[in-house]
Amino acid sequence: MLKTFMEKTTFKKIYAVAKHIPEGNVATYKQIATLAGNPKASRIVGIAMKHNPNTTIIPCHRVVASDGSMCGYSAGDGIQTKIEKLESEGVKIRNSKVDLSIYQWKDK
DNA sequence: CGTATGACTAGCT
DNA sequence: CAGCTAGCCATAC
């Protein structure tokens, strides 16, 4: 079962934040790390996404790098699937990147 | 407990 | 703009 991952407080927070990302919006690894309480744990966010217990509750495709580019994706066909999903939600991809100025998630 | 690793970021060349 | 380095943190072994 999913213990090693979700059990850990850090991952738990990351997952919680990640699944809070609204549809049609995207968040950066750093942003999630910050919301999770560790602005320097941007890498941990990536690790957490890679270890994602359920891609259903964790829209990892809505998580992109700080400049809007996407580095990896363990589900589907990888980056390609990630892009397709984002576009499917209304997020336009520009040169394999996302316009954070427009789509970056803002928890208001 | 120490070492290795990773879907990162920011800075410099 | 592309490539490389250093810093940083949590997990896995």
Side-chain angles (χ1 to χ4, degrees), chain A residues 34-104:
Chain A
T34 304
L35 293 173
N38 297 301
K40 316 240 174 189
S42 49
R43 311 179 82 153
I44 312 306
V45 177
I47 300 292
M49 293 299 108
K50 187 173 80 165
H51 282 266
N52 62 33
N54 298 299
T55 54
T56 311
I57 64 173
I58 304 172
C60 19
H61 57 271
R62 292 181 196 152
V63 185
V64 298
S66 62
D67 63 340
S69 59
M70 39 202 99
C71 287
Y73 193 63
S74 53
D77 294 314
I79 305 299
Q80 201 169 341
T81 301
K82 188 167 178 177
I83 296 174
E84 301 232 344
K85 287 189 175 226
L86 287 173
E87 292 202 305
S88 187
E89 294 181 359
V91 179
K92 315 285 176 146
I93 308 299
R94 286 288 191 183
N95 194 20
S96 302
K97 291 188 181 179
V98 180
D99 292 314
L100 292 177
S101 318
I102 305 173
Y103 302 106
Q104 184 166 43

Side-chain angles (χ1 to χ4, degrees), chain A residues 22-36:
Chain A
E23 197 175 287
N25 279 233
V26 298
T28 67
Y29 293 103
K30 193 180 180 186
Q31 184 174 4
I32 294 176
T34 304
L35 293 173

Side-chain angles (χ1 to χ4, degrees), chain A residues 2-9 11-12 15 53 57-58:
Chain A
L2 325 156
K3 337 177 148 183
T4 339
F5 309 127
M6 266 223 163
E7 295 257 320
K8 302 301 176 187
T9 314
F11 276 29
K12 200 171 176 183
Y15 293 142
I57 64 173
I58 304 172

